Structure formats: structure tokens, C-alpha cells
Amino acid sequence: MSDIVVTLPDGSQLELEEGSTVEDAAYEIGPGLGKDTVAGVVDGDLVSKYDELEDGAELVIVTDQSDEYLQVLRHSAAHVFAQALQRLFPEAKLAIGPPTEEGFYYDVTNVDLDADDLADIEAEMYDIIEADYDIERVERSREEALDIYEDNRYKQEILAEEAAGEETVSFYVQDDWQDLCQGPHVESTGEVGAVELLNIASAYWRGDEENEQLTRVYGTAFESEKDLEAFLERREEAKERDHRKLGQELDLFSIPETTGPGLPLYHPNGKRILRELEGFVDQLNDDEGYEFVETPHLFRTELWKKSGHYDNYVDDMFLLDVNEEEYGLKPMNCPGHATIFDQGNWSYRDLPIRYAENGKVYRKEQRGELSGLSRVWAFTIDDGHLFVKPESIEREVNTIMDQINEVLDTFDLDYEVALATRPEKSVGSDEIWEQAENQLRSVLQDSGMDYDIESGDGAFYGPKIDFAFEDALGRKWDGPTVQLDFNMPERFDLSYTGEDNEEHRPVMIHRALYGSYERFFMVLVEHFNGNFPTWLAPEQVRILPVSDDNIGYAKQLKNRYLGDFRVEIEDRSWTVGKKIQTAHDDRVPYMLVVGDNEEEAGTVSVRDRFENEQKDVEVDAFREHLESEIDDKRVEPDFIDE
């Protein structure tokens, strides 16, 4: 038989017979590894250990010590749920049941479930786990599979679309129950140590609003009860940090049903924070020589056809018919910026040209995917587009990375970095993509950053470096990004005159230092639990008069000494204790308590939101500290030494 060669994580190569599986490769490396193999990661995709390898594949062996193992276990937990469900509700029909970052879900139909049913299903799941059934992969013919699912249109559709042309398909069998599935799975149901069903929701089949709604049951699974309990505790804490809850409590934003889904309204408190965020990133852009531009919300679709978005993004666009001509709300700002560049005559001496815009864009997410500020229809990107000479790429990308690092350091955020490579649906030649990916890889390697490869997750026009934030539940959200684009300059026929007086093609770099303001705002709300740094806080100081007699002094403090800050006076006839508690609940960084003694001495008593207090403080000293804390963009109030 012919040989194939696969590449292992350490860069070494392994020669195998054609037709070898992931498990075969593991045994070739060593019998112990072969015995411990649960699954594999091939070219970035998690696959069954029974999957055959192709020549040139990059292979990672997955064991129960691997990061990917929990994903495999949760996939098996979804099967345990489905088996338990059909034991209790034999009429239930199954659709799909994948693992997720938090656990798993299974979409089902032909059964009415409510929260009271979850406890019974969960108890049945534990019976299945305790029975420790072997989980076996069985290959069946497509015809046999179609017969098995003759009354299940969802499985039949999967067979028609995802297994078209295949002679056989895989089932996973445990006891007397089976499910059509590619895997991977653990060896037995007993490996699923602890489970909990979390909630019931509705979901459209295939995520398409034109399709029928199914019942979606969410659950989670871990190897041990201890790990499950730790997750549930984090989940409860995350509920308290949920940006939707805090957004309402702190009067930051709303998404009323009357205005439409996914269309957030920012209230004064929320807009104050957004203005500070805009000011910060605008200053970073000023420092690096960006010029600010503005583009409209609406363009003729001829522009989107020229840019390639119409062919690759039309399903996510809002389209309008205006006087029998088609227009589209912009899903991205880049075609507008490319058009602005195209209006000028540029020399190599002019480059790089750097444009910046806090541009509102619109993307038609499925309604079932909309959630607070994390997924919306209308959002604003702190967009930047650079038009550079090819030899300037790495220098410009390094400068952008410095800007991104300044943002991350300022907000004390944890993040992960990934290089996203060419997707299946893309434009441009193989040579262009290889060149672009190699240049971004070089920047990352030179930076010393740890990064992952996200195969096939690039933009349709070029590869990118993505930064992802983790929210209070441990979910990952897209943040800053740097994207190389050799394709849009070609589509727009952009050029500059080189030193040789010939026309040359610039390279376009897309970058955002936050990502979108909406998602970044969400991350900050949950990261800080509503306790925003003083420079961001909608209200920085609240003055608390001890009695109505001290309101005049409070107004004098605000107007004469603290006029440059966001200061409010609590003038309701409450007790001092209630005023302090309310300011604490409102997450105000500093409270100034002023009574007769403070008024007579011309001082203030300073409290922070952590209930630390310092009396007899000179007003000038407090003001100078406030200026310093805000200018330095410090994360926590630090006037009072604990």
C-alpha cells in the first residue's frame, strides 16, 4: 500500500500506510498512547479515533489528559441525555445534539417538556451512567440508516446533506439505544461522571427562522461532581454579573420589543461610558496618524458586489428596494474606505494611508442567536483600514499589535490569540493567501505571544489575528482583530505610483482595537461587575450631605472644585446610611460625606465603593488625586490606603 505522512505537534513527521486511522497513528507512536487514545485533532478539527488520515495532515492525539477531552465527554453526555429522554418519552424525535463550550444541548421534537421533567430525565441519565454501557461505533449503509429514520425528517435531512455520496455512515450504540453521529465519543457511559440539565429553550431547525421550532434542552457534564459544583457556583456568580441584568440595574442600555430585536438603545449612563471608550481609541488613532472618515449607513448593492460581500455575505445583509434599485445596509465599513482611497491619486511617499471610523454596521443575525449586547443587529466597530506598500506590512501590523496591547493592559483583560486561516468560502489565489498567512505568522512568532491556529476561520478576503475575551461564564467572544487583505485592492483596482513611476497595488489592512463597542461594552460590564474604573464610570463622585443644611456646601464643592468631573449630589431627605448604601448599589467609585464639621473645616470625608473611609480630607488633595487616577486610567479607586 502507498504511504502517507502526517505531522505531529512537535513538528516531526510520521509515515503510515494509506488508510490508517487516528488510532493507528497513536499505536505507531507507542502502544500506551494507542491504548489511551480517545479522539484526534486533524488539521484543527476534532475527529473520531476511527477516522482515516490523509497525506499531509497535521495530527494531535487526544487522551483523557487533553484539553479536548471534556468536549468529547460532553458529546457523549448529549447521547446519555437523548437515551434517557427516549426511555421516558419514546415518542420523542431527535435532531442534533452537539457539545458546547459550557456543556451540550440536544434539539428534540414531538414531545412537550417543561422544567419539572428535567429532574426525571436527569435521574434516568445517572442510571445510564451508573450502568457504564460500552459506547461502540457501528458502520451502517445509508439505506439502512434511512430505514431506521424513516419517520424522522431531521435525521433524513442530515443523511441527504451531510452524508451524500457516502456508502456507509456511523452510528454510536450504547445498550439498546443508538444515534446517527460522526463522534468522537468516550469509551463508555460511566466516563461521564457528573451531569446537570440546565434549562429548556426553543430553537429553529438549522438556525433558520423559516424552519419549524424545536425544543432545545441545555445541559452540562464533567468528569467529577467536584468539577460540576465549581461550574454551577461560577454560573450563579455569572448570573449576578450578567450584562443584561446590570445594564438594567445601572440604567446603561435597553432593547425594547417595540424598537425591534438586536437594536440596543444606550441610555445617558451607557453613552457616557461609550464616549470615554471612543475618546480613548480616538486618541490612540491620533497618535498613530490615522485620519477620521465617515461613511453612510446605506449603499447601492453594486458596491457590495464589487467588494465581494454580496456573494459571500448576502444572507446576513438587510436589503432594501429604493425606486426599483437594490440597496443594502452596510455589514462592514471597508468598502466605503476603499472607495475613499480610490478617489485620490497616491504616490509611494503618501503611504501608508490610515483611515479610522467609529462606524455603525448591520448584520441579520438569526433572532434565536440575539442576546443582549453579545449578538445584535446594529453595532459599531472602531474600524481602521490601512493602505500600505507590501514591504511595510509587518511594521504596520506590529504597530497595531502595540495599540491592541495598550487596550488590553488598560482594562486588565485576559485574552487568547489565534491566527485564523483561509476559509472554504473565500476569494483570491492560493499564492496570495499563503503570503498573507506567513506574514501574520511571522509577526506573532516575533512577538513571543502564545497563539492557536484556527483553520478555516479567516475572513473571506484574508487571514487574520484574532483576540478573544472570556466572559463571566468562561465563554469566548471576539475582540480586537488584525486582517490582511490582498483581494479588495484588486477588486477595487486600487493603486499608487511607485518609485519607478509605475502603478502598484497596495495591501489593505483591516483592524479594530475593541472589535465592536457593543461586545466590548458587554465584556467590560461583566469583567468589572458594573464597578467601572473611575475614568469610565458614568458617575465618578456622589456628594452626600448629612442634612439639608449642608446641600449648599455640597453644591459649592461640585461647582467650584469638582466641575471637571461627573459629580452628582444626593439631595433626597434620607439618612446618611441610606445615601451611602444607594451610592454603593449604584457602583459609584467615590462618595463625599459632608456635614457641619466638614463644612466648617472646608474638608470632606471620602468613602470608596469598597467601604473604605478617610476623614478630614483637603478638597484640593482629593481633586488632584482624582485627576491623576483618571489620567492614568487606573482600574480601581485607590485614594484610601487599606
Side-chain angles (χ1 to χ4, degrees):
M1 298 180 69
S2 301
D3 289 334
I4 62 171
V5 177
V6 298
T7 303
L8 302 177
D10 63 359
S12 64
Q13 294 188 323
L14 182 66
E15 193 171 296
L16 301 163
E17 290 184 348
E18 188 174 0
S20 295
T21 65
V22 170
E23 187 175 42
D24 293 334
Y27 271 107
E28 188 69 24
I29 297 169
L33 183 62
K35 182 179 178 182
D36 292 340
T37 297
V38 176
V41 177
V42 178
D43 295 333
D45 295 325
L46 185 64
V47 301
S48 165
K49 66 181 181 181
Y50 306 109
D51 278 23
E52 291 187 5
L53 297 167
E54 295 184 359
D55 188 41
E58 294 184 355
L59 171 65
V60 180
I61 301 297
V62 175
T63 71
D64 61 4
Q65 300 301 306
S66 304
D67 291 340
E68 295 85 1
Y69 178 71
L70 188 58
Q71 185 177 346
V72 180
L73 181 145
R74 287 171 170 171
H75 196 173
S76 300
H79 279 210
V80 172
F81 160 78
Q83 182 181 10
L85 174 73
Q86 291 192 312
R87 280 185 175 183
L88 298 176
F89 301 93
E91 71 279 10
K93 287 185 171 56
L94 306 177
I96 56 172
T100 67
E101 289 187 5
E102 288 183 337
F104 64 87
Y105 69 79
Y106 217 118
D107 288 344
V108 301
T109 188
N110 206 41
V111 59
D112 291 325
L113 297 176
D114 57 35
D116 293 336
D117 296 315
L118 295 186
D120 293 337
I121 299 170
E122 195 175 292
E124 191 68 30
M125 290 176 70
Y126 272 106
D127 287 345
I128 294 169
I129 292 169
E130 187 175 353
D132 196 20
Y133 299 123
D134 289 339
I135 300 176
E136 298 178 314
R137 175 169 162 144
V138 177
E139 294 290 325
R140 305 194 192 283
S141 69
R142 289 187 76 256
E143 291 73 18
E144 185 179 359
L146 288 168
D147 287 342
I148 291 170
Y149 292 118
E150 62 179 350
D151 63 345
N152 185 326
R153 60 171 292 265
Y154 309 105
K155 298 294 189 183
Q156 291 214 351
E157 189 172 314
I158 292 170
L159 287 166
E161 294 180 0
E162 299 178 20
E166 299 290 336
E167 292 183 5
T168 63
V169 293
S170 58
F171 281 72
Y172 280 82
V173 180
Q174 52 202 48
D175 190 31
D176 59 352
W177 181 89
Q178 64 182 351
D179 197 8
L180 175 71
C181 185
Q182 290 182 321
H185 288 282
V186 296
E187 294 295 318
S188 72
T189 60
E191 290 188 37
V192 182
V195 296
E196 177 130 342
L197 298 181
L198 302 173
N199 61 284
I200 300 173
S202 295
Y204 293 104
W205 170 237
R206 299 295 201 189
D208 188 339
E209 293 179 14
E210 301 299 318
N211 292 334
E212 63 271 35
Q213 279 194 338
L214 306 176
T215 298
R216 176 169 292 181
V217 179
Y218 286 97
T220 193
F222 290 88
E223 291 183 73
S224 69
E225 286 287 346
K226 181 180 178 182
D227 290 341
L228 174 61
E229 289 172 7
F231 167 81
L232 294 175
E233 287 176 8
R234 290 196 307 272
R235 196 165 186 265
E236 284 304 309
E237 181 183 352
K239 287 181 182 178
E240 294 303 310
R241 289 174 174 260
D242 190 302
H243 75 286
R244 293 164 296 186
K245 172 178 176 289
L246 291 173
Q248 183 176 2
E249 291 177 1
L250 301 178
D251 197 23
L252 302 176
F253 71 93
S254 61
I255 307 178
E257 186 64 31
T258 51
T259 60
L263 302 171
L265 304 176
Y266 288 100
H267 299 197
N269 282 347
K271 186 60 180 177
R272 290 187 191 107
I273 296 172
L274 282 179
R275 290 184 65 184
E276 293 293 338
L277 292 174
E278 290 168 359
F280 177 44
V281 81
D282 285 353
Q283 185 60 57
L284 293 178
N285 288 331
D286 272 336
D287 292 344
E288 294 300 333
Y290 284 76
E291 297 181 284
F292 290 87
V293 298
E294 184 172 328
T295 56
H297 297 250
L298 189 71
F299 286 108
R300 295 172 62 231
T301 53
E302 290 305 311
L303 180 70
W304 307 115
K305 292 173 183 176
K306 187 174 184 179
S307 69
H309 287 92
Y310 196 88
D311 292 336
N312 292 275
Y313 229 81
V314 66
D315 291 340
D316 298 310
M317 291 180 65
F318 291 95
L319 301 176
L320 300 87
D321 185 352
V322 182
N323 296 327
E324 298 185 352
E325 191 170 15
E326 190 176 50
Y327 283 73
L329 292 175
K330 61 178 178 179
M332 296 181 182
N333 298 301
C334 39
H337 293 189
T339 304
I340 293 173
F341 181 88
D342 193 34
Q343 305 304 299
N345 295 311
W346 306 103
S347 160
Y348 70 95
R349 295 186 182 89
D350 301 315
L351 271 56
I353 296 296
R354 307 179 184 94
Y355 294 145
E357 177 182 12
N358 292 311
K360 184 79 74 178
V361 298
Y362 304 85
R363 297 183 190 172
K364 192 169 58 176
E365 300 275 4
Q366 297 294 331
R367 288 193 182 209
E369 298 295 324
L370 300 175
S371 177
L373 297 179
S374 63
R375 289 194 182 277
V376 291
W377 277 353
F379 56 97
T380 304
I381 302 176
D382 68 301
D383 236 337
H385 292 98
L386 300 83
F387 302 87
V388 307
K389 296 174 290 186
E391 59 267 28
S392 302
I393 288 173
E394 290 193 28
R395 183 179 68 244
E396 290 298 322
V397 172
N398 275 310
T399 300
I400 293 167
M401 296 287 277
D402 289 342
Q403 289 181 300
I404 290 173
N405 281 324
E406 184 166 352
V407 169
L408 299 171
D409 291 344
T410 296
F411 295 100
D412 192 27
L413 291 168
D414 294 327
Y415 58 91
E416 294 179 356
V417 185
L419 172 61
T421 60
R422 186 175 191 171
E424 186 174 332
K425 196 174 184 180
S426 61
V427 293
S429 69
D430 293 343
E431 293 78 13
I432 283 176
W433 274 87
E434 184 177 359
Q435 178 185 359
E437 289 174 6
N438 286 339
Q439 286 177 303
L440 292 186
R441 187 179 285 108
S442 175
V443 168
L444 286 169
Q445 290 172 347
D446 291 345
S447 74
M449 284 183 171
D450 293 329
Y451 68 94
D452 295 322
I453 300 292
E454 293 182 345
S455 299
D457 208 31
F460 74 88
Y461 48 76
K464 55 183 179 171
I465 297 172
D466 279 337
F467 291 73
F469 299 123
E470 188 173 292
D471 70 7
L473 264 178
R475 295 168 300 189
K476 301 293 190 301
W477 297 103
D478 292 341
T481 186
V482 188
Q483 306 173 2
L484 288 190
D485 187 350
F486 293 81
N487 294 300
M488 200 170 298
E490 190 76 29
R491 298 179 76 95
F492 279 80
D493 195 24
L494 304 181
S495 65
Y496 66 93
T497 304
E499 290 184 75
D500 56 3
N501 283 327
E502 298 292 330
E503 294 297 299
H504 296 268
R505 190 78 70 205
V507 177
M508 191 173 178
I509 301 176
H510 308 242
R511 54 104 276 203
L513 306 184
Y514 294 144
S516 79
Y517 279 95
E518 281 68 18
R519 192 165 286 174
F520 193 74
F521 193 112
M522 175 208 77
V523 169
L524 292 183
V525 171
E526 298 189 354
H527 177 68
F528 292 117
N529 195 20
N531 294 305
F532 296 105
T534 303
W535 71 277
L536 273 185
E539 183 182 349
Q540 295 166 326
V541 179
R542 186 174 297 179
I543 304 175
L544 312 179
V546 172
S547 71
D548 290 351
D549 293 338
N550 307 121
I551 290 177
Y553 180 53
K555 290 180 178 179
Q556 180 184 356
L557 290 172
K558 175 181 177 179
N559 297 329
R560 183 178 298 181
Y561 296 100
L562 302 173
D564 294 333
F565 308 103
R566 294 188 286 276
V567 180
E568 299 295 335
I569 297 172
E570 179 55 87
D571 57 5
R572 286 173 285 194
S573 298
W574 289 348
T575 65
V576 173
K578 185 174 182 180
K579 291 180 179 181
I580 291 173
Q581 184 61 52
T582 301
H584 176 79
D585 293 344
D586 291 342
R587 271 76 164 183
V588 180
Y590 288 110
M591 293 154 260
L592 303 184
V593 180
V594 293
D596 293 340
N597 292 338
E598 287 80 10
E599 185 169 356
E600 183 177 342
T603 61
V604 293
S605 290
V606 181
R607 291 180 64 95
D608 65 24
R609 59 185 169 215
F610 305 112
E611 301 181 6
N612 302 304
E613 185 174 13
Q614 187 171 326
K615 298 181 181 296
D616 302 322
V617 176
E618 296 292 333
V619 177
D620 285 341
F622 176 71
R623 186 187 68 244
E624 289 170 6
H625 170 82
L626 204 57
E627 289 174 348
S628 173
E629 183 178 315
I630 291 170
D631 288 345
D632 293 344
K633 294 181 171 55
R634 295 200 281 275
V635 170
E636 296 287 1
D638 61 355
F639 179 76
I640 301 166
D641 294 327
E642 296 186 42

